[in-house]
């Protein structure tokens, strides 16, 4: 689901990618909300808070919200740079480094005992780290799927879903309706898995707090393992022919 690009990429690849990584985003988002009261998978709300704090002249908080926005941007930038650099040498494995960095961030935030202390800077560190990780993931998914899949925020998905549902009323051609149905199902899968990740994360957080982030880290590790397993299977299958 990560290796295939261009014409070699199928609907099934995007569906698998969307299911796993949207669940990861839902888990990370609810953990950020419960742990530090910060949305960590998008920056739309942070722009509103940034504007509000500027208006009331609370420049310290305005700067913090600006940092959140920039950390998400920086994550996307780093992901793009890594994938572009890696693709020049090993194009089929350019996704491994961004995912490994994301996993490392989840493990660090989830396992570092000092992050559970009451230091004033801890919420800022946790929020910035998770926003950076989600910037990494969103850029990775967008590039791998050629902008078909986005897993960290739902506003655009609901807009596209509404448009495609309306198109079903006007397109009677079988081929066009099949295409629309597949696209609608993909978006519903992303929304459902994001929601499922949020519910699961809320339940787990009650007992394990920041260690909840070990679940998305495990899902990402599973995605890497599954992708490598399929690659070896099809490689062996081609050799035996």
């Amino acid at each position: 689901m990560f290796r295939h690009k261009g014409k070699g990429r199928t609907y099934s690849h995007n569906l698998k990618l969307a299911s796993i990584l949207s669940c990861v985003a839902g888990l990370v988002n609810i953990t950020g909300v419960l742990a530090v009261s910060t949305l960590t998978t998008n920056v739309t709300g942070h722009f509103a808070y940034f504007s509000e704090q500027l208006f009331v002249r609370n420049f310290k908080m305005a700067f913090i919200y600006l940092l959140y926005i920039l950390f998400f941007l920086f994550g996307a930038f780093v992901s793009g740079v890594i994938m572009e650099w890696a693709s020049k040498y090993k194009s089929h494995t350019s996704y491994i480094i961004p995912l490994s960095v994301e996993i490392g961030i989840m493990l660090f935030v989830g396992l570092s005992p000092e992050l559970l202390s009451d230091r004033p800077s801890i919420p800022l560190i946790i929020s910035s780290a998770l926003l950076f990780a989600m910037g990494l993931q969103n850029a990775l998914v967008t590039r791998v799927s050629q902008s078909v899949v986005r897993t960290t925020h739902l506003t655009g998905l609901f807009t596209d879903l509404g448009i495609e549902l309306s198109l079903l009323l006007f397109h009677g051609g079988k081929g066009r309706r099949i295409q629309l149905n597949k696209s609608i199902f993909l978006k519903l899968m992303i929304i459902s898995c994001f929601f499922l990740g949020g519910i699961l994360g809320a339940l787990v957080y009650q007992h394990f707090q920041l260690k909840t982030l070990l679940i998305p880290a495990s899902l990402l590790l599973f995605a890497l393992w599954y992708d490598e397993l399929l690659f070896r299977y099809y490689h062996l299958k081609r050799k035996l022919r």
Side-chain angles (χ1 to χ4, degrees):
M1 59 184 148
F2 295 108
R3 295 172 185 267
H4 294 84
K5 298 177 183 178
K7 294 181 179 179
R9 188 160 191 84
T10 66
Y11 177 76
S12 176
H13 295 140
N14 286 334
L15 193 60
K16 292 173 185 175
L17 184 73
S19 302
I20 296 176
L21 295 194
S22 58
C23 186
V24 167
L27 282 158
V28 172
N29 196 46
I30 192 62
T31 303
V33 169
L34 295 175
V36 290
S37 302
T38 304
L39 297 169
T40 54
T41 58
N42 63 82
V43 295
T44 307
H46 296 313
F47 266 108
Y49 290 130
F50 172 64
S51 302
E52 178 192 28
Q53 295 305 317
L54 281 179
F55 178 75
V56 299
R57 298 180 182 275
N58 186 349
F59 298 115
K60 180 181 178 181
M61 282 305 302
F63 178 70
I64 289 174
Y65 285 117
L66 179 61
L67 274 181
Y68 290 162
I69 294 165
L70 292 177
F71 266 99
F72 190 94
L73 173 65
F74 187 50
F77 170 78
V78 169
S79 182
V81 168
I82 291 172
M83 292 191 70
E84 185 65 28
W85 172 80
S87 65
K88 295 182 183 298
Y89 301 96
K90 283 192 172 184
S91 60
H92 295 301
T93 58
S94 59
Y95 61 89
I96 291 178
I97 300 175
L99 282 178
S100 298
V101 172
E102 185 179 351
I103 291 168
I105 291 171
M106 301 297 166
L107 293 175
F108 172 75
V109 176
L111 293 176
S112 296
E114 62 270 18
L115 292 179
L116 298 176
S117 65
D118 296 325
R119 297 176 189 173
S121 60
I122 294 307
L124 177 61
I125 294 172
I126 294 173
S127 301
S128 300
L130 295 182
L131 278 157
F132 178 83
M134 290 297 96
L136 275 172
Q137 176 175 305
N138 202 42
L140 167 71
V141 172
T142 300
R143 179 159 178 171
V144 167
S145 70
Q146 298 178 309
S147 301
V148 174
V149 177
R150 284 186 172 87
T151 59
T152 63
H153 53 280
L154 303 181
T155 307
L157 276 174
F158 272 96
T159 302
D160 293 341
L161 180 62
I163 292 170
E164 289 175 352
L165 286 171
S166 71
L167 290 176
L168 285 176
L169 301 175
F170 299 96
H171 289 274
K174 184 178 179 181
R176 179 58 175 155
R177 290 187 72 86
I178 290 173
Q179 184 182 7
L180 280 171
N181 286 333
K182 289 172 71 174
S183 182
I184 288 169
F185 182 76
L186 177 64
K187 290 174 176 60
L188 288 174
M189 182 62 70
I190 296 172
I191 293 167
S192 300
C193 289
F194 190 97
F195 178 70
L196 178 63
I199 294 296
L200 176 62
L203 293 172
V204 174
Y205 186 86
Q206 297 178 62
H207 306 286
F208 298 101
Q209 287 75 49
L210 283 173
K211 288 186 175 63
T212 303
L213 292 174
L214 299 183
I215 299 177
S218 300
L219 285 173
L220 291 172
L221 284 169
F222 169 77
L224 285 172
W225 170 81
Y226 177 76
D227 199 66
E228 179 65 22
L229 184 68
L230 279 185
F231 172 74
R232 291 180 181 275
Y233 168 73
Y234 287 117
H235 182 68
L236 180 62
K237 192 174 179 180
R238 283 194 299 267
K239 285 180 69 175
L240 293 175
R241 284 180 179 176

